[in-house]
Amino acid sequence: MTLALTLRLVSLRLIVTHLRAAHVQQSSRTYVDTLAQRGNPGLRAPKKLWWAKELTPDFHVAGRLSERQIKYAADGGFKSIVSLYHYDEPSKIGEEYLPTSEEAAAIAKQSGLQHRVVLESGNSDWASVQAVDKLSAIMPTLEKPVLLHCHRAYTISFVTMMHMANASKHNPNYKPQVDIQKFYKMAAAMGIDFTMDFTQKTAAEITGEEIPENLPTPNVVPKVWYDYWMAHPVYKNWYTAGQIRESHLEKLQMDGFIHVINMRMGVDDENGNPSQEQVTLINVKDGTPTYGNKETGPRQIPNTLKNLVVDSEKDNSYVAKDSNANFESRNPGEFGDEIGYNEDRERQVLEKAGFQYHHMPVLSGGKFSPELFGKYKDKLLEIGRTGEPVLVHCASAHRVAYMTVLAAALQYNKDLDWALQRTRELGFVVSPTEHKDVYLMYAAWLDSNKFNSTKDEL
């Protein structure tokens, strides 16, 4: 090692040590506008459940669920499902079937989940004390964690948080304590707006508090984006997601999404080596290599899948009526082929549907760095500055959260503290001691006072 290189490494270590000393106390108490520190999206199966929005570790919310999503909820550790409405008729998202309440209850039972409905058939009075009371009566009968849903994850968010506010009012030991300020801050952090007169009236009645002046409102474009409820609003026109499905495209277009940025690996990497990632499969564990390793064969061959089954007691009909195994082996709806996720297929389908599609691969589990973000910075900002809604996705909404927060911060002139806060509100802790590679990437691009002269070294 040359003397010059040694001096550069020593300089970098001194910078990192200084940053830790300067920020570790601040980062440990970074303010967040959420009811509690949220976990990473997806409970115990982030690739399958990236769309489940955490209110607290016990309560997650979602829109109307497909059969696959109900089964994924069981795979990922949920114990109960609650539907705010009674669905007498089936529906669809794209070509994907959304079951009736009776059908959903049967699927949940087959999956080992409790299932409850809050409002009786024909009742859609969600912004009412009566709806909150009905949910509160159901809650003690449920095993946790609970996945609660409605049409678009909007009305159920209101009723669930009002349930928590009501419990807080009557029980000082209830955790987390939710008052009207926390309710409105959490809603804004989630990108949803409950500042209408009728929701304010119910919130005031439930909490027994006056409505604060200057209520926080979400910074999202468009203001109503809930048709594609699975997205995670980051800031203004920036959103993140896990792996989208072909059936989602109609809802994305309804909400005005024009740009889709895919940060998953392609069929081959930049050196020409095979690099397909996984697809999710019913009753199959995530986390095994696509191409296998010394311990296991390729992921999607039957002998490998048999050893990855979540619940071996499930019979074949759990996967499909005509299935010859109790596990799924292909997922074409997720742009999968016989090996795994196929980025070429996604590109073809999205471009044909009229989206502006951009591929910016980031290695899953790889290290973040200023250079990595710099590789895509100009294109990200060019897309963001159109002002049009941008959806950035990977497999589980994890790696894109780090990249998208930084892109939004640069576009809208936000600082390092904002990026750390917003990342925490999305469920990711970034500090000099946790995900320090992400922290250094943020500091390099956002803290010019410390890093203008050292970006090259970082």
Side-chain angles (χ1 to χ4, degrees), residues 29 48 71 78 130 158 178 180 188 195 209 223 236 254 259 261 289 314 361 371 375 386:
R29 61 175 186 268
K48 292 181 175 181
K71 292 176 179 178
F78 282 106
Q130 291 74 24
F158 180 85
V178 178
I180 202 161
T195 60
E209 300 175 81
K223 290 293 184 185
K236 296 199 174 179
M254 287 175 64
H259 304 275
I261 299 173
K314 293 284 192 293
E371 291 80 12
K375 181 178 179 181
T386 65

Side-chain angles (χ1 to χ4, degrees), residues 357-377:
Y357 177 85
H358 313 272
H359 188 216
M360 304 183 192
V362 174
L363 182 64
S364 178
K367 289 290 184 181
F368 291 87
S369 68
E371 291 80 12
L372 173 64
F373 184 80
K375 181 178 179 181
Y376 300 125
K377 177 180 76 74

Side-chain angles (χ1 to χ4, degrees), residues 141-157:
T141 70
L142 301 173
E143 291 185 68
K144 297 180 179 65
V146 185
L147 179 61
L148 304 102
H149 76 91
C150 59
H151 300 310
R152 303 183 298 171
Y154 177 76
T155 57
I156 192 61
S157 296

